[in-house]
Amino acid sequence: KNQVEQSPQSLIILEGKNCTLQCNYTVSPFSNLRWYKQDTGRGPVSLTIMTFSENTKSNGRYTATLDADTKQSSLHITASQLSDSASYICVVTVLSGGYNKLIFGAGTRLAVHP
Amino acid sequence: DGGITQSPKYLFRKEGQNVTLSCEQNLNHDAMYWYRQDPGQGLRLIYYSQIVNDFQKGDIAEGYSVSREKKESFPLTVTSAQKNPTAFYLCASSPRTGSSYEQYFGPGTRLTVT
């Protein structure tokens, strides 16, 4: 069964600190892995996308890693800001006939406190 | 100002009534999608459309219907047959349905049925 699991479910950190969010997946055949940021009550916004051959991708203070052998990904946030408070969703794309299906994790809810 | 719009942001209905959620995009994307988001769960695909006048069921299509008469518009009707309609509904679009294409999400509609 194709699944994406994220940990932790929620996290509280102080402003200026770093944090790392985890994503494990059992998806086959794998196409790519994306990280999205979703503010409360809003739609998700893409942060990074990585294919099988990429093992790291950065977007400002966000750095995603991918280990396709262990089927794990992480999202590292550096020097957190209050605006980083949001849910972070890991999404894996499955090659499935004519439509490439997205499998969504449940997300990690991050709260950055002053 | 390009993007995806969903209206209304909040919607309240009585049980047994059908309700239609609006989704419009001016990105000239061929593909459009409807997802449902429930607390503690990943997004689940309701319907998708790869081109005008064509649409396919997703993982949880029962109790929902869609139409795609125009490229820019992909309305979702939540019928009285949907057992648990209260949820956050997200519309998305992408240039095509291929795995390399990013999906862009609208701001969402929160539907409450009592």
Side-chain angles (χ1 to χ4, degrees):
Chain A
K1 181 180 178 184
N2 289 321
Q3 280 187 316
V4 175
E5 295 184 352
Q6 294 186 241
S7 62
Q9 282 189 322
S10 60
L11 182 62
I12 299 173
I13 62 173
L14 294 177
E15 187 178 11
K17 298 296 185 182
N18 304 336
C19 68
T20 299
L21 314 180
Q22 301 291 341
C23 173
N24 296 335
Y25 62 92
T26 53
V27 171
S28 181
F30 174 92
S31 179
N32 56 54
L33 185 146
R34 309 161 192 253
W35 282 93
Y36 280 88
K37 177 185 179 186
Q38 184 178 23
D39 293 316
T40 301
R42 306 295 298 273
V45 175
S46 178
L47 294 175
T48 63
I49 176 172
M50 289 180 290
T51 61
F52 185 88
S53 59
E54 297 174 294
N55 55 25
T56 186
K57 184 73 71 79
S58 290
N59 178 359
R61 294 180 296 102
Y62 301 102
T63 298
T65 65
L66 173 64
D67 186 334
D69 291 331
T70 62
K71 298 188 176 182
Q72 296 180 325
S73 176
S74 66
L75 180 69
H76 186 75
I77 304 175
T78 304
S80 61
Q81 300 176 358
L82 298 179
S83 59
D84 291 331
S85 295
S87 287
Y88 292 85
I89 303 173
C90 176
V91 185
V92 179
T93 304
V94 184
L95 289 174
S96 176
Y99 163 68
N100 295 290
K101 183 180 177 70
L102 271 59
I103 310 295
F104 290 79
T108 292
R109 184 176 295 277
L110 174 67
V112 180
H113 289 183
Chain B
D1 192 19
I4 302 174
T5 58
Q6 292 185 242
S7 61
K9 188 169 179 63
Y10 299 97
L11 193 53
F12 298 87
R13 280 293 182 270
K14 294 290 188 183
E15 195 174 319
Q17 294 179 334
N18 292 354
V19 59
T20 297
L21 282 59
S22 168
C23 177
E24 304 277 333
Q25 55 98 359
N26 61 5
L27 300 170
N28 199 33
H29 287 172
D30 282 336
M32 297 186 74
Y33 314 81
W34 273 106
Y35 293 94
R36 170 181 172 137
Q37 188 172 35
D38 294 285
Q41 297 187 40
L43 273 67
R44 292 181 289 169
L45 181 67
I46 303 172
Y47 268 98
Y48 68 97
S49 167
Q50 299 186 70
I51 199 167
V52 174
N53 293 322
D54 177 75
F55 49 83
Q56 305 294 329
K57 292 181 179 180
D59 298 320
I60 55 166
E62 185 174 349
Y64 300 98
S65 66
V66 294
S67 63
R68 187 86 187 276
E69 297 177 359
K70 298 187 298 183
K71 188 174 186 177
E72 315 81 64
S73 179
F74 191 41
L76 173 74
T77 296
V78 184
T79 75
S80 56
Q82 168 50 232
K83 299 302 181 188
N84 297 295
T86 295
F88 189 52
Y89 290 88
L90 287 160
C91 178
S93 72
S94 63
R96 305 284 189 275
T97 54
S99 63
S100 63
Y101 296 106
E102 180 180 338
Q103 291 189 19
Y104 297 85
F105 287 85
T109 292
R110 186 167 298 280
L111 173 65
T112 302
V113 177
T114 58

